[in-house]
Amino acid sequence: MQVLVLNGVNLDTLARRDPSLYGGLSINELETKIYEWAHALDISARCRQSNSEGEYIEWIHDAYNDVDAVIVNPGAWSHYSYAIRDALEVLEVPIVEVHLSDIEHREEWRRTSVIADVVSKRVIGKGPDGYREALEYLAGKVEE
């Protein structure tokens, strides 16, 4: 199974952000964990991060024919980017939305996700372990 993991805006600054909300890892440390978890599940993962919405959307377009599943953490784009939502909607593979912090119990503006209705599963507020849960779900290891 080939899984694309797309991290969005400001996730490259994870190590500088509040560790109680975001887990205290750098983006490189997070990606290392994702690769380790994927390997243990016999999944091939590719991680990418961008602060450019257009580039992020291009990566989604590239995934239309190349991957078996996608894990997305668009960061703040989750709350307003209908362009990302439209790109994800065309995918014919499972999509898991991951957020490190519990966006449903933070500021009012963070509580809305414009992509929630086009994903197969949402994993929210579990820190870096949310990516592991997403991978397990995609590998069929998590019972719904």
Side-chain angles (χ1 to χ4, degrees):
M1 170 181 278
Q2 178 69 36
V3 176
L4 179 61
V5 180
L6 296 178
N7 286 302
V9 66
N10 294 321
L11 282 142
D12 60 326
T13 64
L14 282 179
R16 297 173 182 253
R17 298 181 82 181
D18 184 344
S20 68
L21 292 174
Y22 299 104
L25 298 178
S26 70
I27 189 68
N28 290 336
E29 292 167 328
L30 175 61
E31 289 178 352
T32 297
K33 285 189 167 288
I34 291 168
Y35 290 130
E36 289 170 358
W37 293 325
H39 179 75
L41 293 164
D42 200 28
I43 292 174
S44 176
R46 180 174 187 196
C47 295
R48 300 184 110 177
Q49 185 280 325
S50 182
N51 292 316
S52 167
E53 186 177 13
E55 182 174 46
Y56 196 88
I57 291 167
E58 288 294 331
W59 291 339
I60 295 169
H61 291 176
D62 291 346
Y64 289 166
N65 299 311
D66 294 343
V67 301
D68 300 304
V70 178
I71 296 172
V72 293
N73 181 346
W77 293 326
S78 307
H79 313 299
Y80 65 87
S81 179
Y82 288 97
I84 289 173
R85 185 208 178 278
D86 288 349
L88 290 171
E89 184 177 35
V90 179
L91 284 172
E92 296 179 353
V93 298
I95 305 165
V96 179
E97 177 184 5
V98 173
H99 293 281
L100 296 162
S101 68
D102 185 354
I103 61 171
E104 293 180 353
H105 292 96
R106 291 190 60 195
E107 302 93 337
E108 188 67 37
W109 64 269
R110 291 187 196 269
R111 296 178 188 174
T112 298
S113 169
V114 300
I115 67 171
D117 66 327
V118 298
V119 301
S120 306
K121 180 174 180 65
R122 300 179 78 212
V123 182
I124 297 168
K126 297 187 177 181
D129 286 336
Y131 289 87
R132 184 180 66 216
E133 183 175 322
L135 289 164
E136 289 171 347
Y137 168 80
L138 292 171
K141 304 291 186 192
V142 173
E143 295 183 25
E144 288 291 305

